[in-house]
Amino acid sequence: MIKPSIGERIFDVVNVTIMVILIILTLYPMLYILFSSVSEGNRLISFNGVLLWPQGFSLDGYKAVLSNPVILQGFKNTLFVLVVGLIINMTLTALGAYFLSREGVMLQKPIMFFIVFTMFFSGGLVPFFLIVKAYGLLDSLWSLILPTAVSTFNLIIMRTYFLSIPKEMEESAVLDGAGHFTILFRIFIPLSMPVVAVLILYYGVGHWNSWFNAMIFLRDQNLFPIQLVVRNIILENDNANMIGTTTLIQSRDVQETLKYAAIIVTTAPILLLYPFLQKYFVKGVMVGALKG
């Protein structure tokens, strides 16, 4: 066994120290929100300093969040956008990537150029709003789905992955009489599950965390996604309509923990989903980005 040199030991110590500091800096904001969400409101308001544990224990913030109809409606809207949006996202991305990965397709290079062009240049927010308005999508959940149906970055990742699939498999399927849809959905997609899982995560997190488009395109509060509802709670401090069954005497204490509980409730689903896709994540990104 080779004994590490003094320089290697110093490097290991410095490296571990830096990584521990980064872990602390990353985890503390999350722990702060978690501890605040289960603290007693009056004690949390009067507390000053670094929060290392809950100030008392109370679930009033979570009760207010889970019993409030505005927040529950926000979850329903977000789930609709998430499920329908993912279906549209993955279908169009797969079709586009398959088309752009075929050889001998007419005007393929010019089409690819214009697609990549959109990654670096856009018309801006005002033309975007006018287009959505012209198609009659204002004040509709479809305004959160259709304008962002395909991500150029994700399209390029899937196209690159498709290019790495051996051509012999496609040629064999063609000899057996398979058409393009059969080749795509029975050969390419099953062989591309790592990159498919990664794109589901990308699109899903994008839909779940989206609030800016909703703020621009939606006026009806019954259509607000959960992230926009949480934003209104945190930034506009609009707790009078958010606390629901809580009395006015209790609201002063509850409103301090309510915003932290809302953040935890809206973040937890994504955090719980990630471990199931983690095994595909690194492989899908690396292969999709480097091969081709």
Side-chain angles (χ1 to χ4, degrees):
M1 183 176 180
I2 301 177
K3 187 177 181 180
S5 63
I6 296 177
E8 291 175 336
R9 291 179 180 178
I10 294 175
F11 173 80
D12 289 340
V13 172
V14 173
N15 192 31
V16 170
T17 302
I18 293 175
M19 294 304 297
V20 170
I21 293 174
L22 290 176
I23 290 173
I24 294 173
L25 293 176
T26 303
L27 287 179
Y28 179 72
M30 300 175 63
L31 293 176
Y32 179 89
I33 294 174
L34 178 61
F35 294 155
S36 298
S37 68
V38 296
S39 297
E40 295 178 3
N42 56 346
R43 295 183 59 179
L44 184 62
I45 293 173
S46 61
F47 178 81
N48 293 316
V50 179
L51 186 65
L52 298 178
W53 50 79
Q55 299 300 302
F57 183 79
S58 173
L59 296 178
D60 289 342
Y62 288 97
K63 292 177 182 177
V65 169
L66 298 177
S67 63
N68 184 268
V70 176
I71 295 177
L72 295 179
Q73 184 62 38
F75 270 114
K76 292 179 182 178
N77 295 333
T78 298
L79 287 175
F80 174 82
V81 173
L82 179 66
V83 174
V84 177
L86 273 178
I87 294 174
I88 294 176
N89 292 147
M90 295 307 300
T91 301
L92 295 182
T93 301
L95 292 173
Y98 179 80
F99 168 79
L100 294 171
S101 64
R102 302 302 86 211
E103 293 183 351
V105 175
M106 184 181 298
L107 301 177
Q108 185 185 75
K109 290 185 178 180
I111 292 174
M112 190 64 192
F113 169 79
F114 285 114
I115 290 175
V116 174
F117 186 84
T118 64
M119 291 183 65
F120 306 100
F121 303 96
S122 66
L125 182 59
V126 174
F128 183 37
F129 178 85
L130 293 177
I131 290 173
V132 173
K133 180 180 180 181
Y135 280 95
L137 298 177
L138 290 183
D139 226 16
S140 168
L141 290 178
W142 290 105
S143 64
L144 310 182
I145 299 173
L146 297 181
T148 56
V150 178
S151 164
T152 303
F153 179 75
N154 294 343
L155 178 65
I156 293 174
I157 289 179
M158 181 167 278
R159 170 187 177 270
T160 307
Y161 199 101
F162 283 175
L163 289 172
S164 69
I165 297 177
K167 297 179 181 179
E168 292 77 11
M169 300 189 67
E170 180 183 355
E171 293 172 353
S172 176
V174 172
L175 292 175
D176 291 336
H180 289 296
F181 285 100
T182 302
I183 295 173
L184 173 60
F185 291 106
R186 293 194 178 183
I187 298 178
F188 277 51
I189 297 298
L191 292 175
S192 305
M193 289 311 298
V195 76
V196 168
V198 170
L199 296 191
I200 288 176
L201 185 63
Y202 281 172
Y203 280 124
V205 171
H207 285 306
W208 188 267
N209 292 332
S210 178
W211 62 270
F212 185 73
N213 285 356
M215 183 181 67
I216 297 173
F217 301 137
L218 302 180
R219 295 294 177 266
D220 186 356
Q221 292 191 6
N222 292 324
L223 298 176
F224 283 3
I226 187 60
Q227 296 298 344
L228 185 56
V229 174
V230 173
R231 172 192 175 275
N232 292 338
I233 293 175
I234 297 173
L235 298 183
E236 299 177 8
N237 201 24
D238 186 18
N239 291 302
N241 296 324
M242 299 298 172
I243 293 173
T245 58
T246 310
T247 65
L248 292 177
I249 298 177
Q250 295 173 317
S251 65
R252 188 171 298 175
D253 294 336
V254 173
Q255 65 183 8
E256 186 65 20
T257 58
L258 171 62
K259 57 186 178 182
Y260 296 111
I263 293 173
I264 293 294
V265 169
T266 56
T267 305
I270 293 296
L271 294 179
L272 295 175
L273 176 65
Y274 181 78
F276 296 99
L277 300 176
Q278 185 179 12
K279 63 180 180 179
Y280 299 109
F281 191 78
V282 176
K283 181 180 178 182
V285 171
M286 293 301 294
V287 174
L290 299 178
K291 283 191 177 183

